[in-house]
């Protein structure tokens, strides 16, 4: 295709030339291997993964481009919802001046400023189904008038049109409705049979095809039918109106369903909308250039003006400001930022100007990872879905058997004309029993719930976590960084022998600088606050759960717990009383040894999170048993537990022992959730029935967990559990609607009530009821968006 350089927003420089592209995906492919594209071989590059589509009911179905699911026949959806934007330039003084490219305002001469405009999202499937519906509705109305008009007083239709011509007119009008407007249903029905996955479109295809095929034969060759089938005027009864109206009603159901399903992606689109569409990049020459966010690369320097959103994740290199990070942390107060501080994309800059260096762009930013987690959860299947799957596996063959049984029964024992009654009953059964509502019951609730959770700061990795969280009865909580701030500070430093406090602290900071533990950060921070020179460390060694060792300035330095000192042949027992006193105050005590001699004792305290007491009270009110699990000393852990009212404490455990403790609780019949934030919590998070990671924690902890609390606030666990309970209630309601609907509808359509009440369901009413059932399930699922958490 051709690209206009004047309007293209995507460009790349190579070998002194500038190349323009239609989209960011093509530009990225070019940049990955320019010579291949310039040689013409680039046409063979694989399609952009963003062009993949999946089925909302069968997430394992994934293909390039839009289409229909080969299993259920539903329209496929984009794998990850996106928000399309375009750049345009406008004058700050004259907003009516808009240009697709930079320049000056023709009115005042000021430079035009870039802004992003959201492009209305296009749904080809919805557009196509809407067009087919309106055509079907427009043609079905006159068919209904022709077929039913004689029911009015005076039989007005027969006075104007002879019966034979009326039948042919119905055929003429119904043919485009069935063969064009309803063609997607036949395609999906054939596809379902070819794939041996019968679904709702199998029944629709059979029902509409049977009624239309019978009516075509009756209209064109009435002589094939017995005399008992003909009226006094020689015509045979036709059901074009049934076939046409069924198609129109099913199309209406598809339109309503597609519109409703598009709302389930609103949470993701809202998250995408948080990110700015453009960034102001600084060139090596010092110039500034507005570029689309997709053009930002790691290492780019970006200017963020007052009031603007941070474009990507990175670090401040110039300037100072206060940044509103409530989008990520939930904290209302802005955070001061200066050179060296980290900033997160989509947060809002305050009144200062910043220059930042991009460190994570594209799919690596925190916001992009949140979107990916939500999309992944929406595509997953809850265990309760297995019930619907087992029913659906036998449902369609059973319905076909019931329809055949109804046809035979009416043909043998029904009133005259028996064949006509038999056909109506069989078609009604096929249409009303379409299992669309059954298939939608679970996926729609899961999609809405994951979006609702994302808005509440809770990210579910999969649908199974939503279901399992409702059944949890025991919550195990890590101490450091979970119950506490995870930002401990050095409170006590006592030295022995000839070592000064400064020398002991510098050596301790040297070995701890290579550790990721929050206690290590406290020691390093204390040394930096005292402006101490922290020497380099060699031969660093970390002993998980005990401490660290290394060689510093020729000294062999060890820092850690009493068990580590015992491993080194040292006896800190003479310090036991003092250490116990510090622990009773909630301090974690570490011992420092240099060349085999104890030189210092350090006490570190980690303040409890401000929101922790309220969160724990809420969780206990929900009936959860709380357990603190910590690698810290028992006295210290129990001091924190007493302050928080936690009755059970398991302390002095190594990471692998944390997982074993979780397993012991599970073997005792408990359904266990584990909340943690560190690398040492990852095994326990993976072992738990539901692992809950704090978004402020490490990547490994987040990857090991089933649920991530974006803001690191334990109050979100209560919100997550309420959402889980509401979601399971909603799914059960949907399944009840679907099962009850079919349990009542199929016998009614088959005519079982006809001998008693004279009730026989029209195929048109059956089609309306089928569409209504699907819409009711979707509407019930969307109620979750208003759930109070």
């Amino acid at each position: 295709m051709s690209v206009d350089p004047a309007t293209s927003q995507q460009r790349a420089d190579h070998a002194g030339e500038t190349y323009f592209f239609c989209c960011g995906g093509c530009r990225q492919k070019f940049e990955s291997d320019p010579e291949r594209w310039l040689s013409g071989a680039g046409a063979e590059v694989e399609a952009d993964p963003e062009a993949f589509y999946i089925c909302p009911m069968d997430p394992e179905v994934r293909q390039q481009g839009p289409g229909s699911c080969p299993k259920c026949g539903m329209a496929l959806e984009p794998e990850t919802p996106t928000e399309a934007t375009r750049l345009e330039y406008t004058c700050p003084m004259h907003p009516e001046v808009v240009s697709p490219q930079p320049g000056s305002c023709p009115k005042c001469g000021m430079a035009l400023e870039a802004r992003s405009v959201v492009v209305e999202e296009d749904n080809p499937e919805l557009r196509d189904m809407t067009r087919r519906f309106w055509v079907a509705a427009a043609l079905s109305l006159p068919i209904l008038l022709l077929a039913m008009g004689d029911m009015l007083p005076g039989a007005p239709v027969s006075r104007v049109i002879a019966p034979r011509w009326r039948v042919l007119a119905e055929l003429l009008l119904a043919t485009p409705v069935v063969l064009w407007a309803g063609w997607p249903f036949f395609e999906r029905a054939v596809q379902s049979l070819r794939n041996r996955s019968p679904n709702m479109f199998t029944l629709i295809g059979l029902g509409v095809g049977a009624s239309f095929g019978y009516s075509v034969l009756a209209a064109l060759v009435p002589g094939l039918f017995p005399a008992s089938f003909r009226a006094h005027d020689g015509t045979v009864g036709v059901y074009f109106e049934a076939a046409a109206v069924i198609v129109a009603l099913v199309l209406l159901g598809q339109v309503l369903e597609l519109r409703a399903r598009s709302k389930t992606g609103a949470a993701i689109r809202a998250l995408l909308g948080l990110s700015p569409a453009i960034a102001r990049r600084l060139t090596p020459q010092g110039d500034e250039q507005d570029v689309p966010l997709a053009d930002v690369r790691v290492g780019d320097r970006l200017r963020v003006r007052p009031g603007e959103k941070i474009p990507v994740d990175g670090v401040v290199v110039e300037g100072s400001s206060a940044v509103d990070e409530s989008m990520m942390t939930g904290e209302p107060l802005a955070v001061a930022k200066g050179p060296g501080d980290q900033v997160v994309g989509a947060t809002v800059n305050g009144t200062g100007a910043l220059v930042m260096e991009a460190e994570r762009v594209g799919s690596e930013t925190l916001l992009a990872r949140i979107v990916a987690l939500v999309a992944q959860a929406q595509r997953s299947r809850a265990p309760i879905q297995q019930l619907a799957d087992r029913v659906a596996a036998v449902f369609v063959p059973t319905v076909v058997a019931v329809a055949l049984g109804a046809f035979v029964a009416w043909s043998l024992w029904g009133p005259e004309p028996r064949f006509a009654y038999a056909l109506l009953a069989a078609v009604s059964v096929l249409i009303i029993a379409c299992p669309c509502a059954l298939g939608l019951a679970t996926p729609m609730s899961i999609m809405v719930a994951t979006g609702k959770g994302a808005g509440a700061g809770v990210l579910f990795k999969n649908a199974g976590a939503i279901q399992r969280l409702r059944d949890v009865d025991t919550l195990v909580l890590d101490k450091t960084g979970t119950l506490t701030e995870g930002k401990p500070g050095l409170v006590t430093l006592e030295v022995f022998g000839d070592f000064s406090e400064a020398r002991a602290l510098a050596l301790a900071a040297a070995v701890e600088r290579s550790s990721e533990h929050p206690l290590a950060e406290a020691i390093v921070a204390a040394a930096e606050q005292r402006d101490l020179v922290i020497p380099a460390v060699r031969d660093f060694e970390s002993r998980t759960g005990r401490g660290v060792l290394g060689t510093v300035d020729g000294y062999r330095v060890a820092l850690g717990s009493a068990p580590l000192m015992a491993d080194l042949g040292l006896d800190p027992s003479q310090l036991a009383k003092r250490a116990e006193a510090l622990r009773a105050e909630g301090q974690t005590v570490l011992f420092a040894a240099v060349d085999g001699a104890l030189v210092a004792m350090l006490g570190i305290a980690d303040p409890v999170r401000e929101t922790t007491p309220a969160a724990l009270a809420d969780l206990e009110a929900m009936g959860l048993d709380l357990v603190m699990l910590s690698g810290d000393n028992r006295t210290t852990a129990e001091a924190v537990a007493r302050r928080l009212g936690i009755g059970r404490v398991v302390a002095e455990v190594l990471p692998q022992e944390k997982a074993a403790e979780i397993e012991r609780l599970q073997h005792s019949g408990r359904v266990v959730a584990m909340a943690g934030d560190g690398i040492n919590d990852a095994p326990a998070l993976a072992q738990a029935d539901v692992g809950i990671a704090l978004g402020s924690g490490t990547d490994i902890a987040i990857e090991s967990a089933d649920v991530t609390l974006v803001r690191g606030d334990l109050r979100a666990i209560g919100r997550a559990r309420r959402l889980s309970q509401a979601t399971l209630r909603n799914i059960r309601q949907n399944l009840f609607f679907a099962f009850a609907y079919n349990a009542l509808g199929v016998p009614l359509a088959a005519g079982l009530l006809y001998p008693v009440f004279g009730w026989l369901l029209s195929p048109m009413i059956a089609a309306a009821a089928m569409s209504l059932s699907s819409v009711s399930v979707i509407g019930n699922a969307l109620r979750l968006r208003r759930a109070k958490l």
Side-chain angles (χ1 to χ4, degrees):
M1 64 177 290
S2 60
V3 179
D4 184 1
T7 60
S8 173
Q9 301 171 13
Q10 304 292 336
R11 64 190 68 190
D13 295 325
H14 174 69
E17 295 286 334
T18 299
Y19 299 88
F20 300 87
F21 304 88
C22 60
C23 64
C26 290
R27 177 186 51 74
Q28 291 175 5
K29 293 174 190 174
F30 174 86
E31 290 176 337
S32 64
D33 193 353
E35 296 303 327
R36 184 182 181 197
W37 280 87
L38 294 174
S39 65
E44 301 173 7
V45 174
E46 292 182 1
D48 192 336
E50 294 178 357
F52 277 93
Y53 283 66
I54 63 167
C55 174
M57 287 172 57
D58 301 281
E60 67 275 12
V61 175
R62 183 173 181 265
Q63 71 174 39
Q64 291 183 18
S68 302
C69 174
K71 290 187 174 182
C72 67
M74 291 182 67
L76 301 181
E77 297 179 343
E79 192 167 28
T80 300
T82 58
E83 184 178 64
T85 59
R86 71 168 187 269
L87 273 183
E88 64 181 26
Y89 298 83
T90 183
C91 175
M93 299 293 295
H94 302 91
E96 70 275 9
V97 175
V98 179
S99 171
Q101 55 189 355
S104 301
C105 175
K107 293 186 176 181
C108 65
M110 291 185 64
L112 301 181
E113 295 184 349
R115 70 178 181 184
S116 63
V117 179
V118 176
V119 179
E120 191 67 28
E121 187 176 7
D122 182 48
N123 187 330
E125 183 77 11
L126 176 59
R127 188 177 66 248
D128 179 61
M129 287 294 179
T130 302
R131 181 172 60 249
R132 292 176 188 272
F133 163 70
W134 285 115
V135 172
L139 295 178
S140 295
L141 183 60
I143 298 175
L144 269 177
L145 294 175
L146 289 172
M148 307 294 185
D150 282 350
M151 293 183 180
L152 298 174
V157 174
S158 294
R159 290 184 177 183
V160 178
I161 305 175
R164 175 67 178 163
W165 289 106
R166 184 186 66 194
V167 170
L168 292 177
E170 289 183 32
L171 169 62
L172 183 65
L173 292 170
T175 297
V177 174
V178 174
L179 298 186
W180 179 77
W183 187 251
F185 303 151
F186 292 109
E187 284 185 325
R188 296 177 183 183
V190 172
Q191 188 180 39
S192 72
L193 295 174
R194 186 182 298 126
N195 294 317
R196 298 180 182 178
S197 298
N199 53 50
M200 62 171 287
F201 295 105
T202 312
L203 302 181
I204 293 173
L206 288 173
V208 173
S211 58
F212 181 73
Y214 164 83
S215 300
V216 169
L217 289 177
L220 298 180
V221 283
L224 292 178
F225 294 83
S228 60
F229 278 64
R230 302 192 194 101
H232 67 278
D233 54 19
T235 59
V236 177
V238 293
Y239 301 98
F240 289 120
E241 80 285 358
V245 173
I246 287 171
V247 169
L249 288 172
V250 174
L251 284 168
L252 175 60
Q254 289 290 293
V255 170
L256 294 176
E257 178 186 309
L258 287 166
R259 286 181 178 175
R261 279 165 51 193
S262 68
K263 296 179 182 179
T264 63
I268 290 182
R269 285 190 289 274
L271 288 171
L272 290 169
L274 294 174
S275 180
I278 58 175
R280 181 163 294 232
R281 183 165 60 193
L282 299 178
T283 66
Q285 294 76 30
D287 299 328
E288 297 183 2
Q289 179 185 23
D290 287 327
V291 297
L293 203 62
D295 287 352
V296 177
R297 294 289 178 266
V298 173
D300 283 354
R301 290 203 165 197
L302 309 172
R303 184 179 299 282
V304 185
R305 293 175 294 186
E308 290 184 336
K309 290 184 176 181
I310 307 293
V312 295
D313 298 356
V315 62
V316 176
V317 293
E318 291 179 21
S320 61
S321 183
V323 176
D324 179 1
E325 296 184 332
S326 58
M327 181 272 292
M328 291 295 178
T329 65
E331 296 296 330
L333 297 178
V335 181
K337 300 289 183 181
D341 291 332
Q342 297 290 322
V343 288
V344 178
T347 55
V348 182
N349 184 28
T351 56
L354 299 175
V355 174
M356 61 171 291
E357 183 176 312
E359 291 186 336
R360 287 182 296 276
V361 301
S363 61
E364 299 301 318
T365 64
L366 178 59
L367 181 63
R369 291 169 62 193
I370 290 175
V371 170
L373 278 173
V374 175
Q376 176 185 342
Q378 290 188 339
R379 295 194 299 268
S380 62
R381 300 167 71 87
I384 198 172
Q385 175 70 23
Q386 296 173 0
L387 172 63
D389 291 343
R390 287 195 297 270
V391 173
V394 298
F395 187 78
V396 173
T398 301
V399 168
V400 173
V402 171
L404 290 174
F407 182 85
V408 172
W410 279 92
S411 298
L412 295 178
W413 301 296
E416 293 294 344
R418 292 177 179 175
F419 185 83
Y421 277 112
L423 181 64
L424 286 175
V427 171
S428 296
V429 169
L430 291 171
I431 297 301
I432 202 170
C434 288
C436 185
L438 182 63
L440 286 170
T442 298
M444 290 301 300
S445 296
I446 294 298
M447 292 177 74
V448 177
T450 50
K452 174 75 174 178
V458 179
L459 301 181
F460 292 97
K461 183 175 288 186
N462 52 57
I466 299 178
Q467 181 171 340
R468 291 193 301 273
L469 187 58
R470 184 207 57 159
D471 300 323
V472 165
D473 55 29
T474 302
L475 176 61
V476 178
L477 298 137
D478 171 54
K479 181 179 73 70
T480 305
T482 302
L483 295 172
T484 63
E485 292 284 355
K487 298 177 181 177
L490 181 64
V491 177
T492 302
L493 175 59
E494 298 180 1
V495 296
F496 320 113
D498 297 331
F499 269 83
S500 65
E501 287 189 2
R503 184 59 174 158
L505 182 57
L507 293 175
V511 291
E512 289 286 24
R513 179 175 263 173
S514 299
S515 174
E516 59 84 32
H517 199 281
L519 299 182
E521 296 178 8
I523 295 172
V524 174
E528 291 175 343
Q529 288 169 4
R530 301 186 187 192
D531 295 325
L532 299 180
V533 176
I534 302 176
V537 62
R538 294 185 294 105
D539 305 323
F540 175 79
E541 178 187 353
S542 174
R543 296 190 183 180
T544 305
R546 293 181 181 268
V548 293
L549 305 93
T551 301
V552 182
D553 291 342
Y555 296 104
R556 186 60 179 170
V557 181
L559 185 69
S561 62
L564 176 64
M565 298 298 110
D567 291 345
L568 300 176
L570 300 176
D571 181 14
S573 58
Q574 69 271 23
L575 303 174
K577 187 175 181 179
R578 175 59 178 156
E580 197 67 14
L582 295 177
R583 293 182 186 117
E585 297 173 4
Q587 296 184 37
T588 298
V589 176
L590 300 178
F591 300 95
V594 177
D595 288 343
L598 286 169
V599 299
M601 182 169 61
L602 300 87
I604 300 169
D606 186 9
V608 172
R609 288 179 183 269
E610 185 178 347
T611 57
T612 295
L616 298 186
D618 181 36
L619 293 169
E620 284 187 319
M622 298 174 72
L624 292 179
D625 291 334
L626 304 180
V627 179
M628 179 194 288
L629 193 61
S630 176
D632 210 342
N633 176 272
R634 175 168 297 279
T635 302
T636 303
E638 288 180 346
V640 175
R642 279 195 304 272
R643 197 182 313 163
L644 296 173
I646 298 175
R648 183 175 178 185
V649 179
V650 181
E652 300 178 354
V653 288
L654 299 176
Q656 60 270 26
E657 293 172 340
K658 287 187 177 183
E661 183 63 29
I662 298 290
E663 190 173 6
R664 277 193 291 272
L665 288 169
Q666 291 170 326
H667 287 162
S668 67
R670 299 299 188 99
V671 181
V672 183
M674 164 72 183
D677 73 321
I679 291 175
N680 61 334
D681 297 320
L685 292 172
Q687 174 64 42
D689 296 287
V690 179
I692 303 173
L694 275 65
S696 55
T698 65
D699 290 346
I700 294 177
I702 293 172
E703 290 299 322
S704 302
D706 303 297
V707 181
T708 299
L709 310 183
V710 176
R711 297 160 190 161
D713 185 347
L714 291 181
R715 290 177 297 182
I717 299 179
R719 294 195 290 269
R721 194 159 191 267
R722 291 187 184 90
L723 178 59
S724 170
Q725 293 168 335
T727 302
L728 267 294
R729 281 197 303 270
N730 192 270
I731 290 174
R732 287 197 171 93
Q733 291 165 359
N734 286 346
L735 291 174
F736 173 79
F737 291 155
F739 284 128
Y741 162 80
N742 284 296
L744 295 174
V746 171
L748 182 62
L752 291 184
L753 299 182
Y754 183 82
V756 181
F757 300 104
W759 293 350
L760 183 61
L761 200 64
S762 162
M764 291 182 288
I765 302 299
M770 183 271 292
S771 297
L772 183 62
S773 71
S774 299
V775 174
S776 66
V777 165
I778 294 173
N780 187 55
L782 291 175
R783 286 194 313 113
L784 277 173
R785 295 191 302 175
R786 299 191 299 272
K788 294 183 179 180
L789 305 180

